[in-house]
Amino acid sequence: MKLTNICHTYDGQPILRGIDLQVDPGECIGIIGPSGSGKSTLLQILGLLKRPDVGLIELEGRELLAASEEERRLLRLNEIGFVFQQAHLVPYLTVREQLELVQAESESKQDPLHLLDVLGLSHRLNQLPKHLSGGERQRVAVARALINRPQLLLADEPTASLDFENGRRVMELLVAEARNHGRRVLVITHDERMLDVCDRVLLLQDGQLQPSPRH
């Protein structure tokens, strides 16, 4: 995946100032930066949830920002997995049904039971979100993002509501997905204890991405 000159403003203020980035298959990149620096905006642009003012995003030879709304929807379903800061689960569906709903329109053959077992949720298969802890809901959201084997996986603070053990489990799963299956993974996090598993750590500051001087 290649980003070229991604620029975005909000209320007339520049947020992203010419972002250039190459993400190779099998690579996991951590993105850090102060609050309000545009990290979530960048991920929303990469996830085709928001359009930048200018710039290009290329994935497997395709220019994604030129896609129609229907093409963008299918890309989000089949090729882009997104873990939001909030889980956004469907309140009337069980844990297993959350994953099956996303699978329904896809050709993915990923086994939801295996994913939930890896994330320590196999005993919660038939529970509704209201019966899950915040950390359990977030892990379901991670499984949902992975279920269709996306080429690009975007995670916005995926461990924020997790204790260290479960946060580490999630990060190691994301890294394994990258390295074992050639996915591209970008993770925004404030938890620096999780950054050592990333291949690169980048700092978003003053609208620009640069290597983090501390990692």
Side-chain angles (χ1 to χ4, degrees), residues 24-30 118-119 142 146 153 155 158 167-187 194-200:
D24 295 324
E27 188 173 26
C28 179
I29 296 177
V118 169
L119 289 165
V142 170
L146 290 170
L153 183 62
R168 195 72 179 186
R169 178 183 291 178
V170 165
M171 284 298 298
E172 289 175 350
L173 176 60
L174 297 180
V175 171
E177 285 289 320
R179 293 176 183 165
N180 297 338
H181 303 289
R183 311 197 202 294
R184 302 162 176 88
V185 178
L186 283 88
V187 180
M194 304 296 170
L195 292 173
D196 62 297
V197 300
C198 297
D199 297 299
R200 284 190 283 158

Side-chain angles (χ1 to χ4, degrees), residues 15-31:
I15 302 298
L16 304 176
R17 303 170 183 260
I19 298 289
D20 295 320
L21 178 64
Q22 175 86 34
V23 186
D24 295 324
E27 188 173 26
C28 179
I29 296 177
I31 299 177

Side-chain angles (χ1 to χ4, degrees), residues 4 12 15 35 64 69 87 105 117 126 134 145 150 158 166 172 186 210:
T4 305
I15 302 298
S35 297
L64 301 189
E69 286 304 317
E105 294 187 71
D117 184 54
N126 299 312
N166 283 312
E172 289 175 350
L186 283 88
Q210 54 192 297

Side-chain angles (χ1 to χ4, degrees), residues 8-211:
H8 191 71
T9 59
Y10 180 75
D11 282 345
Q13 297 298 316
I15 302 298
L16 304 176
R17 303 170 183 260
I19 298 289
D20 295 320
L21 178 64
Q22 175 86 34
V23 186
D24 295 324
E27 188 173 26
C28 179
I29 296 177
I31 299 177
I32 61 174
S35 297
S37 61
K39 301 185 300 298
S40 294
T41 297
L42 178 60
L43 250 62
Q44 289 167 7
I45 289 172
L46 288 171
L48 305 183
L49 299 171
K50 182 174 292 193
R51 288 185 182 272
D53 299 333
V54 298
L56 300 173
I57 301 176
E58 298 171 81
L59 180 65
E60 300 294 339
R62 290 170 296 173
E63 210 300 286
L64 301 189
L65 296 177
S68 68
E69 286 304 317
E70 177 61 13
E71 289 170 336
R72 290 158 70 92
R73 185 188 73 83
L74 292 174
L75 283 165
R76 288 193 296 266
L77 175 67
N78 294 305
E79 299 188 45
I80 302 173
F82 207 121
V83 183
F84 297 91
Q85 289 188 40
Q86 304 297 321
H88 297 303
L89 302 181
V90 182
Y92 53 83
L93 295 181
T94 66
V95 168
R96 182 172 185 168
E97 289 167 343
Q98 304 281 343
L99 274 61
E100 291 174 342
L101 175 66
V102 179
Q103 271 190 312
E105 294 187 71
S106 172
E107 298 178 357
S108 169
K109 303 300 181 184
Q110 178 118 264
D111 181 3
L113 299 183
H114 171 70
L115 261 182
L116 293 171
D117 184 54
V118 169
L119 289 165
L121 291 167
S122 56
H123 64 299
R124 307 296 264 163
L125 282 177
N126 299 312
Q127 298 295 317
L128 294 172
K130 67 181 180 180
H131 296 135
L132 304 177
S133 69
E136 287 172 333
R137 288 194 292 270
Q138 187 68 349
R139 280 181 280 158
V140 175
V142 170
R144 182 180 59 190
L146 290 170
I147 193 66
N148 286 344
R149 293 192 170 99
Q151 293 187 50
L152 174 62
L153 183 62
L154 309 168
D156 193 351
E157 298 284 0
T159 66
S161 60
L162 304 178
D163 58 32
F164 178 79
E165 180 181 352
N166 283 312
R168 195 72 179 186
R169 178 183 291 178
V170 165
M171 284 298 298
E172 289 175 350
L173 176 60
L174 297 180
V175 171
E177 285 289 320
R179 293 176 183 165
N180 297 338
H181 303 289
R183 311 197 202 294
R184 302 162 176 88
V185 178
L186 283 88
V187 180
I188 287 174
T189 183
H190 284 103
D191 190 348
E192 299 205 1
R193 300 174 301 172
M194 304 296 170
L195 292 173
D196 62 297
V197 300
C198 297
D199 297 299
R200 284 190 283 158
V201 179
L202 302 177
L203 171 66
L204 181 56
Q205 187 168 269
D206 299 326
Q208 294 283 341
L209 274 178
Q210 54 192 297

